[in-house]
mmCIF file of all heavy atoms in Angstrom:
data_model
loop_
_atom_site.group_PDB
_atom_site.id
_atom_site.type_symbol
_atom_site.label_atom_id
_atom_site.label_comp_id
_atom_site.label_asym_id
_atom_site.label_seq_id
_atom_site.Cartn_x
_atom_site.Cartn_y
_atom_site.Cartn_z
ATOM 1 N N CYS C 165 -135.592 -269.335 -61.853
ATOM 2 C CA CYS C 165 -136.638 -268.868 -62.720
ATOM 3 C C CYS C 165 -136.125 -267.709 -63.580
ATOM 4 O O CYS C 165 -135.214 -266.984 -63.249
ATOM 5 C CB CYS C 165 -137.838 -268.334 -61.931
ATOM 6 S SG CYS C 165 -138.629 -269.653 -60.973
ATOM 7 N N ILE C 166 -136.760 -267.547 -64.762
ATOM 8 C CA ILE C 166 -136.493 -266.404 -65.596
ATOM 9 C C ILE C 166 -137.251 -265.247 -65.051
ATOM 10 O O ILE C 166 -138.372 -265.342 -64.607
ATOM 11 C CB ILE C 166 -136.936 -266.711 -67.073
ATOM 12 C CG1 ILE C 166 -136.154 -267.916 -67.584
ATOM 13 C CG2 ILE C 166 -136.681 -265.482 -67.960
ATOM 14 C CD1 ILE C 166 -134.671 -267.732 -67.639
ATOM 15 N N GLY C 167 -136.594 -264.043 -65.095
ATOM 16 C CA GLY C 167 -137.245 -262.845 -64.608
ATOM 17 C C GLY C 167 -138.536 -262.554 -65.347
ATOM 18 O O GLY C 167 -138.722 -262.988 -66.487
ATOM 19 N N PRO C 168 -139.498 -261.845 -64.728
ATOM 20 C CA PRO C 168 -140.828 -261.618 -65.304
ATOM 21 C C PRO C 168 -140.757 -260.837 -66.571
ATOM 22 O O PRO C 168 -141.696 -260.889 -67.383
ATOM 23 C CB PRO C 168 -141.521 -260.869 -64.240
ATOM 24 C CG PRO C 168 -140.408 -260.236 -63.362
ATOM 25 C CD PRO C 168 -139.348 -261.248 -63.410
ATOM 26 N N PHE C 169 -139.659 -260.151 -66.905
ATOM 27 C CA PHE C 169 -139.606 -259.415 -68.115
ATOM 28 C C PHE C 169 -138.534 -259.978 -69.086
ATOM 29 O O PHE C 169 -137.973 -259.316 -69.894
ATOM 30 C CB PHE C 169 -139.285 -257.897 -67.871
ATOM 31 C CG PHE C 169 -140.421 -257.219 -67.163
ATOM 32 C CD1 PHE C 169 -140.504 -257.226 -65.765
ATOM 33 C CD2 PHE C 169 -141.433 -256.576 -67.896
ATOM 34 C CE1 PHE C 169 -141.568 -256.594 -65.155
ATOM 35 C CE2 PHE C 169 -142.450 -255.956 -67.298
ATOM 36 C CZ PHE C 169 -142.576 -255.938 -65.885
ATOM 37 N N GLY C 170 -138.226 -261.235 -68.869
ATOM 38 C CA GLY C 170 -137.274 -261.937 -69.732
ATOM 39 C C GLY C 170 -135.844 -261.789 -69.344
ATOM 40 O O GLY C 170 -134.948 -262.233 -70.036
ATOM 41 N N GLY C 171 -135.574 -261.279 -68.178
ATOM 42 C CA GLY C 171 -134.199 -261.207 -67.690
ATOM 43 C C GLY C 171 -133.620 -262.546 -67.276
ATOM 44 O O GLY C 171 -134.374 -263.515 -67.077
ATOM 45 N N SER C 172 -132.338 -262.639 -67.078
ATOM 46 C CA SER C 172 -131.737 -263.912 -66.696
ATOM 47 C C SER C 172 -131.747 -264.018 -65.212
ATOM 48 O O SER C 172 -130.747 -263.954 -64.545
ATOM 49 C CB SER C 172 -130.313 -263.975 -67.274
ATOM 50 O OG SER C 172 -129.534 -262.889 -66.833
ATOM 51 N N GLY C 173 -132.923 -264.189 -64.639
ATOM 52 C CA GLY C 173 -133.148 -264.243 -63.189
ATOM 53 C C GLY C 173 -132.677 -265.604 -62.624
ATOM 54 O O GLY C 173 -132.303 -266.498 -63.348
ATOM 55 N N GLY C 174 -132.692 -265.687 -61.242
ATOM 56 C CA GLY C 174 -132.421 -266.960 -60.676
ATOM 57 C C GLY C 174 -131.055 -267.143 -60.151
ATOM 58 O O GLY C 174 -130.783 -268.117 -59.422
ATOM 59 N N GLY C 175 -130.141 -266.184 -60.391
ATOM 60 C CA GLY C 175 -128.798 -266.304 -59.926
ATOM 61 C C GLY C 175 -128.623 -265.556 -58.614
ATOM 62 O O GLY C 175 -129.612 -265.128 -57.963
ATOM 63 N N GLY C 176 -127.382 -265.379 -58.206
ATOM 64 C CA GLY C 176 -127.074 -264.629 -56.981
ATOM 65 C C GLY C 176 -127.284 -263.137 -57.230
ATOM 66 O O GLY C 176 -127.658 -262.650 -58.295
ATOM 67 N N PRO C 177 -127.063 -262.354 -56.173
ATOM 68 C CA PRO C 177 -127.249 -260.903 -56.270
ATOM 69 C C PRO C 177 -126.265 -260.251 -57.203
ATOM 70 O O PRO C 177 -125.148 -260.720 -57.383
ATOM 71 C CB PRO C 177 -127.133 -260.401 -54.807
ATOM 72 C CG PRO C 177 -126.218 -261.496 -54.177
ATOM 73 C CD PRO C 177 -126.618 -262.722 -54.778
ATOM 74 N N LEU C 178 -126.648 -259.115 -57.752
ATOM 75 C CA LEU C 178 -125.737 -258.289 -58.510
ATOM 76 C C LEU C 178 -125.310 -257.148 -57.622
ATOM 77 O O LEU C 178 -126.105 -256.489 -56.998
ATOM 78 C CB LEU C 178 -126.494 -257.768 -59.815
ATOM 79 C CG LEU C 178 -126.945 -258.746 -60.816
ATOM 80 C CD1 LEU C 178 -127.622 -258.045 -61.977
ATOM 81 C CD2 LEU C 178 -125.777 -259.612 -61.320
ATOM 82 N N ASN C 179 -124.031 -256.909 -57.554
ATOM 83 C CA ASN C 179 -123.450 -255.899 -56.758
ATOM 84 C C ASN C 179 -122.988 -254.750 -57.580
ATOM 85 O O ASN C 179 -122.058 -254.958 -58.453
ATOM 86 C CB ASN C 179 -122.313 -256.404 -55.858
ATOM 87 C CG ASN C 179 -122.809 -257.586 -54.981
ATOM 88 O OD1 ASN C 179 -123.740 -257.436 -54.275
ATOM 89 N ND2 ASN C 179 -122.095 -258.695 -55.026
ATOM 90 N N ILE C 180 -123.579 -253.575 -57.490
ATOM 91 C CA ILE C 180 -123.225 -252.515 -58.417
ATOM 92 C C ILE C 180 -122.990 -251.189 -57.646
ATOM 93 O O ILE C 180 -123.486 -250.974 -56.570
ATOM 94 C CB ILE C 180 -124.364 -252.283 -59.457
ATOM 95 C CG1 ILE C 180 -125.673 -251.803 -58.825
ATOM 96 C CG2 ILE C 180 -124.653 -253.669 -60.157
ATOM 97 C CD1 ILE C 180 -126.787 -251.487 -59.845
ATOM 98 N N ILE C 181 -122.178 -250.324 -58.287
ATOM 99 C CA ILE C 181 -121.906 -249.016 -57.825
ATOM 100 C C ILE C 181 -122.664 -247.988 -58.627
ATOM 101 O O ILE C 181 -122.621 -248.045 -59.841
ATOM 102 C CB ILE C 181 -120.406 -248.701 -57.875
ATOM 103 C CG1 ILE C 181 -119.562 -249.698 -57.067
ATOM 104 C CG2 ILE C 181 -120.133 -247.286 -57.384
ATOM 105 C CD1 ILE C 181 -118.061 -249.455 -57.164
ATOM 106 N N VAL C 182 -123.471 -247.236 -57.935
ATOM 107 C CA VAL C 182 -124.381 -246.264 -58.631
ATOM 108 C C VAL C 182 -124.343 -244.867 -58.023
ATOM 109 O O VAL C 182 -123.692 -244.603 -56.936
ATOM 110 C CB VAL C 182 -125.844 -246.738 -58.466
ATOM 111 C CG1 VAL C 182 -126.055 -248.115 -59.181
ATOM 112 C CG2 VAL C 182 -126.250 -246.868 -57.013
ATOM 113 N N TRP C 183 -124.986 -243.944 -58.685
ATOM 114 C CA TRP C 183 -125.271 -242.611 -58.067
ATOM 115 C C TRP C 183 -126.438 -242.778 -57.143
ATOM 116 O O TRP C 183 -127.285 -243.688 -57.375
ATOM 117 C CB TRP C 183 -125.582 -241.625 -59.178
ATOM 118 C CG TRP C 183 -124.446 -241.490 -60.173
ATOM 119 C CD1 TRP C 183 -124.395 -242.009 -61.397
ATOM 120 C CD2 TRP C 183 -123.215 -240.762 -60.018
ATOM 121 N NE1 TRP C 183 -123.233 -241.715 -62.018
ATOM 122 C CE2 TRP C 183 -122.449 -240.910 -61.185
ATOM 123 C CE3 TRP C 183 -122.639 -239.984 -58.949
ATOM 124 C CZ2 TRP C 183 -121.193 -240.395 -61.364
ATOM 125 C CZ3 TRP C 183 -121.384 -239.456 -59.127
ATOM 126 C CH2 TRP C 183 -120.684 -239.648 -60.334
ATOM 127 N N ASN C 184 -126.601 -241.935 -56.149
ATOM 128 C CA ASN C 184 -127.596 -242.235 -55.108
ATOM 129 C C ASN C 184 -128.997 -242.348 -55.661
ATOM 130 O O ASN C 184 -129.804 -243.118 -55.160
ATOM 131 C CB ASN C 184 -127.542 -241.080 -54.093
ATOM 132 C CG ASN C 184 -126.341 -241.179 -53.168
ATOM 133 O OD1 ASN C 184 -125.853 -242.269 -52.911
ATOM 134 N ND2 ASN C 184 -125.762 -240.065 -52.782
ATOM 135 N N ASP C 185 -129.343 -241.582 -56.670
ATOM 136 C CA ASP C 185 -130.787 -241.588 -57.149
ATOM 137 C C ASP C 185 -131.193 -242.906 -57.744
ATOM 138 O O ASP C 185 -132.340 -243.149 -57.903
ATOM 139 C CB ASP C 185 -131.031 -240.385 -58.021
ATOM 140 C CG ASP C 185 -129.979 -240.187 -59.098
ATOM 141 O OD1 ASP C 185 -129.926 -240.980 -60.010
ATOM 142 O OD2 ASP C 185 -129.225 -239.225 -58.934
ATOM 143 N N TYR C 186 -130.250 -243.710 -58.123
ATOM 144 C CA TYR C 186 -130.586 -245.031 -58.691
ATOM 145 C C TYR C 186 -131.261 -245.868 -57.668
ATOM 146 O O TYR C 186 -132.052 -246.782 -58.030
ATOM 147 C CB TYR C 186 -129.354 -245.699 -59.223
ATOM 148 C CG TYR C 186 -128.988 -245.355 -60.610
ATOM 149 C CD1 TYR C 186 -128.285 -244.136 -60.883
ATOM 150 C CD2 TYR C 186 -129.310 -246.157 -61.722
ATOM 151 C CE1 TYR C 186 -127.977 -243.775 -62.197
ATOM 152 C CE2 TYR C 186 -129.025 -245.809 -63.006
ATOM 153 C CZ TYR C 186 -128.333 -244.589 -63.266
ATOM 154 O OH TYR C 186 -128.033 -244.273 -64.546
ATOM 155 N N THR C 187 -131.071 -245.644 -56.400
ATOM 156 C CA THR C 187 -131.742 -246.462 -55.376
ATOM 157 C C THR C 187 -133.249 -246.222 -55.384
ATOM 158 O O THR C 187 -133.959 -247.073 -54.867
ATOM 159 C CB THR C 187 -131.191 -246.069 -53.971
ATOM 160 O OG1 THR C 187 -131.497 -244.711 -53.677
ATOM 161 C CG2 THR C 187 -129.687 -246.263 -53.894
ATOM 162 N N GLU C 188 -133.672 -245.125 -56.017
ATOM 163 C CA GLU C 188 -135.139 -244.889 -56.058
ATOM 164 C C GLU C 188 -135.826 -245.811 -57.024
ATOM 165 O O GLU C 188 -137.110 -245.929 -57.031
ATOM 166 C CB GLU C 188 -135.382 -243.454 -56.405
ATOM 167 C CG GLU C 188 -134.863 -242.465 -55.363
ATOM 168 C CD GLU C 188 -135.252 -240.979 -55.619
ATOM 169 O OE1 GLU C 188 -136.313 -240.796 -56.256
ATOM 170 O OE2 GLU C 188 -134.473 -240.125 -55.240
ATOM 171 N N VAL C 189 -135.097 -246.459 -57.922
ATOM 172 C CA VAL C 189 -135.694 -247.403 -58.870
ATOM 173 C C VAL C 189 -135.179 -248.809 -58.693
ATOM 174 O O VAL C 189 -135.281 -249.668 -59.510
ATOM 175 C CB VAL C 189 -135.509 -246.961 -60.357
ATOM 176 C CG1 VAL C 189 -136.103 -245.599 -60.644
ATOM 177 C CG2 VAL C 189 -133.999 -246.912 -60.693
ATOM 178 N N GLN C 190 -134.673 -249.068 -57.471
ATOM 179 C CA GLN C 190 -134.065 -250.411 -57.231
ATOM 180 C C GLN C 190 -135.116 -251.552 -57.347
ATOM 181 O O GLN C 190 -134.828 -252.545 -57.940
ATOM 182 C CB GLN C 190 -133.475 -250.382 -55.792
ATOM 183 C CG GLN C 190 -132.751 -251.684 -55.437
ATOM 184 C CD GLN C 190 -131.924 -251.494 -54.171
ATOM 185 O OE1 GLN C 190 -131.849 -250.389 -53.563
ATOM 186 N NE2 GLN C 190 -131.287 -252.555 -53.697
ATOM 187 N N ASP C 191 -136.272 -251.297 -56.787
ATOM 188 C CA ASP C 191 -137.310 -252.328 -56.844
ATOM 189 C C ASP C 191 -137.670 -252.632 -58.267
ATOM 190 O O ASP C 191 -137.848 -253.851 -58.635
ATOM 191 C CB ASP C 191 -138.551 -251.923 -56.070
ATOM 192 C CG ASP C 191 -138.297 -251.864 -54.549
ATOM 193 O OD1 ASP C 191 -137.344 -252.526 -54.084
ATOM 194 O OD2 ASP C 191 -139.087 -251.152 -53.901
ATOM 195 N N GLN C 192 -137.844 -251.661 -59.087
ATOM 196 C CA GLN C 192 -138.206 -251.827 -60.497
ATOM 197 C C GLN C 192 -137.145 -252.536 -61.251
ATOM 198 O O GLN C 192 -137.421 -253.434 -62.112
ATOM 199 C CB GLN C 192 -138.486 -250.491 -61.160
ATOM 200 C CG GLN C 192 -139.711 -249.690 -60.575
ATOM 201 C CD GLN C 192 -139.293 -248.802 -59.425
ATOM 202 O OE1 GLN C 192 -138.430 -249.126 -58.600
ATOM 203 N NE2 GLN C 192 -139.974 -247.663 -59.384
ATOM 204 N N LEU C 193 -135.880 -252.228 -61.016
ATOM 205 C CA LEU C 193 -134.780 -252.917 -61.669
ATOM 206 C C LEU C 193 -134.685 -254.389 -61.268
ATOM 207 O O LEU C 193 -134.454 -255.258 -62.118
ATOM 208 C CB LEU C 193 -133.494 -252.205 -61.370
ATOM 209 C CG LEU C 193 -133.322 -250.830 -62.031
ATOM 210 C CD1 LEU C 193 -132.026 -250.139 -61.523
ATOM 211 C CD2 LEU C 193 -133.210 -250.929 -63.542
#
């Protein structure tokens, strides 16, 4: 499926390196 905001959803997970505070917006992303 396409993501609810037009993103290219439906693939496997994205693995990313972040600063710790990014985890606070993980659900939104």
Side-chain angles (χ1 to χ4, degrees):
C165 296
I166 300 299
F169 292 88
S172 54
L178 298 178
N179 301 308
I180 68 175
I181 300 177
V182 296
W183 304 101
N184 288 327
D185 45 74
Y186 274 81
T187 62
E188 298 186 29
V189 298
Q190 184 168 357
D191 291 339
Q192 295 91 321
L193 290 172

